[in-house]
Amino acid sequence: MNYLSNNIVRQVLILMVILLIGVVLFVNLQFFLPSFLGAYTFYVLLRKWMFLLTDKYKWKKSLAALVLMLTSFLVILLPILLLVNMMASKVAWSIEHSNEILTSIEKYVNQYEARFKIEIITDENIRKLTTYSAEMLPKILNATFNTVFTVVMLYFVLYFMLVEGRKMESRFYDWVPLKDENVIRIRKEMNGMVFSNAVGIPLIALIQGLVALLGFVLLGVQEPMFWFVIVCITAMLPVVGAALAYVPLALIFFAEDAPVRGVIMLVYGFGVIGLVDNFARFWLQRKMGDVHPLITAFGVIIGIPIFGFIGLIFGPILISLFLLMIRVYASEFNDGGKGVRQSS
C-alpha cells in the first residue's frame, strides 16, 4: 500500500492555509484592487527613471520617489484643471441659456413629430428621464468619492513600490515557483502589456481629438481648439467617452437655431469619431503590445465592471495573462518540470 510522504502532506497543508488566507484577504481588500493596479501601472512607467535617479545620480530613494510621484500627479492634474477652467465659462453659458436650448430642441423635435406622425416628447418619456437623472446623481457623487479615495491609496502604495522596487522584484523571482525563464517571461510580458495600454489609451484619445478637430473646422465650430482638448480628455473615459464633448456641442448648435449642423455633429460624432476609437484601439495596441483585437475588445468589456476605470488597462491584461499562464504551464511540465534554479 502506497502512502503519501510527510513532505507532500506538509506542502498540501501549507498551500491550503495560504489559499484560505489569500481568499480572506482578497474578499476584504478587493476595494483596494484598483489602487494597487494603478500603482503597479505607474511603477512600470516610472521604474526606469527611479533606478536612473538612485543609481546614476545617487538620489535618496525617498526623494526620487516623491519627485516622480509629484511629476506624475501633475501630468494627471494639469489636464483636469485645464478642463475645469475651460468648461466653467461654457457651463455658465449653458445654465444662462438653458431655456433657449430646451426651446430649440423641443421646436426641432416637434417638427419631426408632425412630419412622421410620432410622439417623442411625451409625459412618460419626461418622467422616465427625470427618474433616471435622479437615480444617476447619487451614483455620480459616489463614484467621485471613490475616485478620490482610489487616487490617494494609489500614491500611498506607489511610494513603497518605488522605494522598495529592487527588493520587490527580487522577492518576486524568489517566491514564484517557476523556472527562471518563465518568471522573466511573465514579468516582461506583463510590463509590456501595461506599458502598451497605459501609453496607448492617451494616444488613442489624441487620434480621436484630431479627427474631431477636422470635423469642427469643417462645421465652423467656434473655438475648435477648445473642443479638441475636451474630446482628448473625455475620450479616455469609459462607455460615454468623446460623446461628452460632441453631444453638448450639438446642443449648442440647436440653441443657436442651426439644427442641420447639430444633426451633422451628432452623426459625425457617433458615426466617425466613435468608430475611430475602435479602429485606433485595435491597430495601435496590436502594434505596441501585439495584443489581438479580440483580447482588447473582450478585455475592456470585462475589465471595467471588475476594476473600474483602470479596467481599460487591466481587462485586456487579465485575458492575456490567462493565455500566458497556459503557455507557462505547458513550458513547465512538458520538459520535466522545474529544474534547479541557478543562482543569480
Side-chain angles (χ1 to χ4, degrees):
M1 184 175 180
N2 296 326
Y3 294 95
L4 293 175
S5 68
N6 290 335
N7 187 46
I8 294 178
V9 173
R10 290 201 309 271
Q11 289 186 38
V12 171
L13 289 175
I14 292 175
L15 288 175
M16 290 177 62
V17 172
I18 292 174
L19 181 62
L20 177 61
I21 297 175
V23 171
V24 173
L25 291 175
F26 177 79
V27 170
N28 289 278
L29 297 177
Q30 59 181 325
F31 184 73
F32 297 93
L33 187 59
S35 299
F36 176 80
L37 295 178
Y40 176 69
T41 301
F42 276 101
Y43 175 76
V44 171
L45 298 177
L46 300 175
R47 173 182 180 274
K48 179 181 69 174
W49 302 103
M50 180 67 183
F51 292 160
L52 178 66
L53 292 175
T54 55
D55 294 346
K56 183 176 180 179
Y57 296 102
K58 306 302 180 183
W59 284 31
K60 291 184 178 180
K61 291 182 179 180
S62 57
L63 176 62
L66 290 174
V67 169
L68 291 176
M69 289 167 58
L70 178 61
T71 302
S72 66
F73 182 74
L74 291 176
V75 169
I76 297 174
L77 185 62
L78 286 179
I80 296 177
L81 293 177
L82 178 63
L83 173 63
V84 171
N85 182 59
M86 289 189 300
M87 287 298 294
S89 59
K90 300 299 179 181
V91 171
W93 184 92
S94 299
I95 294 175
E96 183 180 352
H97 298 81
S98 58
N99 291 331
E100 299 175 25
I101 296 176
L102 294 176
T103 301
S104 299
I105 294 175
E106 185 176 0
K107 178 182 177 181
Y108 188 68
V109 171
N110 289 337
Q111 293 177 358
Y112 277 86
E113 287 181 335
R115 180 181 302 178
F116 297 104
K117 307 300 181 183
I118 59 175
E119 286 188 342
I120 299 176
I121 301 179
T122 63
D123 293 338
E124 178 65 18
N125 290 338
I126 294 175
R127 184 185 64 80
K128 290 181 179 179
L129 181 60
T130 303
T131 303
Y132 176 77
S133 301
E135 293 175 350
M136 284 299 297
L137 182 58
K139 294 181 180 179
I140 293 174
L141 294 176
N142 185 57
T144 302
F145 172 78
N146 291 340
T147 300
V148 173
F149 179 79
T150 298
V151 171
V152 172
M153 293 304 302
L154 182 156
Y155 279 99
F156 178 74
V157 175
L158 177 61
Y159 174 80
F160 292 101
M161 280 189 171
L162 291 173
V163 172
E164 305 291 338
R166 293 194 184 278
K167 185 183 296 184
M168 180 180 65
E169 294 182 12
S170 176
R171 293 291 185 269
F172 177 77
Y173 283 107
D174 292 337
W175 291 351
V176 175
L178 298 173
K179 290 184 293 187
D180 286 347
E181 56 266 30
N182 284 328
V183 176
I184 296 174
R185 182 181 186 181
I186 291 174
R187 185 183 69 82
K188 286 185 176 180
E189 293 202 20
M190 278 287 293
N191 290 352
M193 289 184 288
V194 169
F195 182 83
S196 66
N197 282 272
V199 176
I201 290 174
L203 286 179
I204 292 170
L206 178 61
I207 294 174
Q208 278 191 277
L210 292 174
V211 173
L213 179 61
L214 176 62
F216 297 158
V217 172
L218 294 177
L219 283 173
V221 174
Q222 296 181 359
E223 301 179 85
M225 291 304 299
F226 163 81
W227 291 103
F228 162 74
V229 174
I230 300 299
V231 170
C232 290
I233 295 175
T234 57
M236 292 185 285
L237 301 176
V239 185
V240 289
L244 290 174
Y246 54 77
V247 169
L249 183 56
L251 295 178
I252 292 176
F253 281 137
F254 289 127
E256 295 175 346
D257 199 21
V260 174
R261 289 201 292 172
V263 171
I264 294 175
M265 186 72 263
L266 291 175
V267 172
Y268 186 80
F270 287 107
V272 178
I273 300 175
L275 290 179
V276 166
D277 173 57
N278 297 327
F279 286 111
R281 187 180 304 279
F282 291 158
W283 175 78
L284 187 59
Q285 290 191 344
R286 185 168 177 80
K287 288 292 184 181
M288 294 183 63
D290 195 25
V291 180
H292 194 277
L294 288 178
I295 293 178
T296 301
F298 287 109
V300 171
I301 292 173
I302 68 172
I304 293 176
I306 296 175
F307 305 118
F309 181 78
I310 201 70
L312 290 171
I313 298 175
F314 281 93
I317 289 176
L318 186 62
I319 297 179
S320 298
L321 181 61
F322 171 74
L323 299 176
L324 173 61
M325 293 309 297
I326 293 177
R327 298 197 300 269
V328 168
Y329 176 85
S331 174
E332 284 286 323
F333 297 102
N334 281 349
D335 59 357
K338 185 178 177 67
V340 178
R341 185 183 292 274
Q342 296 179 356
S343 60
S344 56

